Amino acid sequence: MKIYDISQEVFSCKVFPNDPPPQKRVMMRIADGEICNLSEFSMCAHNGTHVDAPYHFIDEGKRLDEVSLERFVGMAFVAEHQGSISADNARAMLQRARLFGFGGEQRILVKGDAVMTEEAAEVFAEAGILLYGNESQTVGPEDAPAAIHRIMLGREIVLLEGIRLQAVPEGVYLLNAAPLNLGGCDGAPCRAILIQLHE
């Protein structure tokens, strides 16, 4: 069994433009005579590797704690792509995932500098996938992400953003991207991992 850590380290992570970056403060140090080492931190729910709940762009959408964990944990297909993802590209990813088998077509993770288009988002939405992940800090163009978020989150497709797939070959893996249980929130950081179950 091989485990791939596909998460960013929090304090050195990528941050979406104008979002506050993570910050850490040391509260206690053993070296200073304290009983233990103790830190506190603050961060935006969408820093680094994180998930988006429907409520992020849809006011009546499910909040993070209302989304089933089954969406975050299960078989996933890693597809490699560069540039804009067209409707045909999306259909090809789903087809390749089905050929690999094991149910990976339910969760699609895209490796590379890829940008979702509205047409591709509609394909994934119609297919009823549970989760879509990418290496960018947002789904869709950074300067206009709203439309694509609304399409996918409107179908309750969980978005997993800011993953790191450079070391992961294309194929099907067991994904665990369970987020922190932040009640009532629009998203949360997660420690996303892929487990290779099949050679």
Side-chain angles (χ1 to χ4, degrees), residues 28-87:
M28 298 171 67
R29 288 187 180 90
I30 295 173
D32 294 338
E34 304 282 2
I35 193 170
C36 65
N37 294 312
L38 184 66
S39 303
E40 71 172 9
F41 67 94
S42 64
M43 65 186 296
C44 172
H46 299 267
N47 287 159
T49 305
H50 67 278
V51 300
D52 291 356
Y55 180 63
H56 186 35
F57 273 84
I58 300 168
D59 208 34
E60 66 278 10
K62 286 185 178 177
R63 296 169 193 244
L64 185 70
D65 53 313
E66 299 171 327
V67 178
S68 169
L69 279 176
E70 292 175 2
R71 292 190 170 267
F72 305 105
V73 180
M75 303 309 290
F77 178 67
V78 174
E80 190 161 356
H81 188 84
Q82 300 292 329
S84 295
I85 301 172
S86 68

Side-chain angles (χ1 to χ4, degrees), residues 30-157:
I30 295 173
D32 294 338
E34 304 282 2
I35 193 170
C36 65
N37 294 312
L38 184 66
S39 303
E40 71 172 9
F41 67 94
S42 64
M43 65 186 296
C44 172
H46 299 267
N47 287 159
T49 305
H50 67 278
V51 300
D52 291 356
Y55 180 63
H56 186 35
F57 273 84
I58 300 168
D59 208 34
E60 66 278 10
K62 286 185 178 177
R63 296 169 193 244
L64 185 70
D65 53 313
E66 299 171 327
V67 178
S68 169
L69 279 176
E70 292 175 2
R71 292 190 170 267
F72 305 105
V73 180
M75 303 309 290
F77 178 67
V78 174
E80 190 161 356
H81 188 84
Q82 300 292 329
S84 295
I85 301 172
S86 68
D88 285 344
N89 296 146
R91 283 189 280 268
M93 288 178 196
L94 291 167
Q95 180 61 24
R96 287 203 310 279
R98 291 185 193 104
L99 290 173
F100 270 85
F102 307 107
E105 69 275 8
Q106 292 186 315
R107 297 168 192 86
I108 302 294
L109 308 179
V110 178
K111 173 182 177 178
D113 186 14
V115 179
M116 180 69 70
T117 63
E118 291 183 43
E119 295 76 19
E122 293 284 3
V123 170
F124 288 126
E126 286 299 319
I129 68 171
L130 301 177
L131 177 147
Y132 173 84
N134 58 225
E135 298 201 76
S136 170
Q137 288 306 117
T138 187
V139 171
E142 193 173 277
D143 60 347
I148 290 160
H149 275 80
R150 289 189 184 111
I151 291 168
M152 300 184 85
L153 294 174
R155 296 292 188 90
E156 297 192 356
I157 298 170

